[in-house]
Amino acid sequence: MDFTPTEDQAAARDLAARIFGDLSTHDRLSATGTATDAALWKALCSAGLVAAVTDVGLLGLVLLLEEQGRTTAQVPFAASCVYGLLAVAAHGSPEQRERLLPRIEDGSVVVSGALLAQGGVRAGARGGLSGTAPVVPWLRDATHVLVADDRRWLWLVRTADARCEPVELTAPWSAGRLTLDGTPAERLGGDDDGADHDRIDHDRIDRDRIDHVYADVVATARTAFAGLQAGVCAGSLARAVAHTNTREQFGRPLAAKQAVQLRAADAYMDTEAIRLTAYEAAWRRDEGLPYAAQALTAAWWASEAGQRVVHTGQHLHGGAGADLEHPVHRHFLWGRQLDAYLGCGSEVLQELGELIAYGEVET
């Protein structure tokens, strides 16, 4: 394994760091409130960073999302790249790729996903979908949603055709509740024969292919959001280090105290574990290797260790960390939201254990 960024990946990461650093400031985030920063999203798309994901791969996307996480920038970068760009590029039909990819790259199409921790959606006649996805991140910004039905088929739904109601989450992710009632949808990859989907003989369909597409998109999402969590944790820890080096108690910086050093060291090791497991899963996908177990491992670290790190960041700020207006509190909210979105650690660990127990882990 070699996680050294390529020249293109490093250039994209550095450009992302500059844009996020310049535009996703504390004052700007405070003024934005819980909404998406439309100007920042436009700047990212205009700079070609969304389009670059096709070339830099999932590992490159993880590097970009780390930079977003450091500043908790309020844009649908992860969702649109995972559920839109990478999903359509890997599994869309030639017509879907030609029609959607350029518009996803320039930001005129924003895609979110109703896959993780969702259920209760069923495909009816000719692909019409019915059911509810209680929480869809960035739904208020999305033009399309990638929805999984109860058979694990993936469908693209236009938000204009569905009912979308705002939902407030722990973090300001412009989320919403998606309600479908016979809503028209197009299957990712296109229809096999255009027939009535209630009458298709599902024994004829390559079940392994359907499961593979679903598993790949879910594993990609887990890896990408774990990378985002690595950035959130790194940003939280950086703020804590800066605070404890300048804040004095009894004439000495807080950072000089052994208890503070040990707590920060534990947080650093947790952050590195999140980062490296996300890198491994992303690298394996880019190399065409099985990575389901690695994606679950990254998700477990992001969930379990991520919430420890953001709690540490807030704790090391003392009373300032309890201030809802303090920048470190934003990292705390994002860390807890990502913990919930990826699934609590015990749930992810159970799924990983079942994968190993049933001998489904490939090397």
Side-chain angles (χ1 to χ4, degrees), residues 4-17:
T4 305
T6 65
E7 186 176 338
D8 288 345
Q9 289 171 341
R13 178 198 59 199
D14 294 345
L15 177 58

Side-chain angles (χ1 to χ4, degrees), residues 5-6 22 36 40 44 67 86 96 100 104 109 123 139-141 146 165 237 243 258 290-291 330:
T6 65
D22 289 345
T36 294
L40 174 56
L44 292 168
E67 301 307 323
L86 293 179
Q96 287 172 334
L100 293 173
I104 295 172
V109 165
L139 180 63
R140 283 175 265 171
D141 302 311
L146 188 65
E165 303 164 278
L237 184 57
H243 175 79
Q258 188 178 45
Y291 71 110
R330 203 172 283 112

Side-chain angles (χ1 to χ4, degrees), residues 77-112:
F77 199 10
S80 201
C81 286
V82 168
Y83 300 121
L85 192 74
L86 293 179
V88 173
H91 306 296
S93 67
E95 187 277 332
Q96 287 172 334
R97 292 196 293 269
E98 181 179 0
R99 169 168 49 92
L100 293 173
L101 288 181
R103 299 175 64 198
I104 295 172
E105 290 172 353
D106 68 19
S108 58
V109 165
V110 176
V111 185
S112 187

Side-chain angles (χ1 to χ4, degrees), residues 167-173 329-330 332-338 340:
V167 172
E168 296 302 330
L169 302 181
T170 301
W173 282 9
H329 186 69
R330 203 172 283 112
F332 175 78
L333 297 179
W334 275 67
R336 293 314 304 258
Q337 186 62 61
L338 283 162

Side-chain angles (χ1 to χ4, degrees), residues 38-174:
L40 174 56
W41 178 241
K42 182 178 179 179
L44 292 168
C45 295
S46 298
L49 285 174
V50 176
V53 173
T54 305
D55 297 322
V56 300
L58 184 55
L59 181 55
L61 175 59
V62 167
L63 294 172
L64 299 178
L65 292 175
E66 278 192 80
E67 301 307 323
Q68 178 186 0
R70 290 180 202 276
T71 60
T72 60
Q74 291 174 201
V75 288
F77 199 10
S80 201
C81 286
V82 168
Y83 300 121
L85 192 74
L86 293 179
V88 173
H91 306 296
S93 67
E95 187 277 332
Q96 287 172 334
R97 292 196 293 269
E98 181 179 0
R99 169 168 49 92
L100 293 173
L101 288 181
R103 299 175 64 198
I104 295 172
E105 290 172 353
D106 68 19
S108 58
V109 165
V110 176
V111 185
S112 187
L115 276 74
L116 300 180
Q118 301 290 347
V121 174
R122 183 176 179 82
R126 298 194 178 278
L129 300 181
S130 296
T132 301
V135 177
V136 179
W138 309 106
L139 180 63
R140 283 175 265 171
D141 302 311
T143 58
H144 295 71
V145 182
L146 188 65
V147 179
D149 68 14
D150 56 349
R151 296 183 305 239
R152 292 191 169 186
W153 287 45
L154 299 184
W155 306 85
L156 283 165
V157 176
R158 294 196 318 149
T159 54
D161 296 329
R163 187 163 80 248
C164 304
E165 303 164 278
V167 172
E168 296 302 330
L169 302 181
T170 301
W173 282 9
S174 296

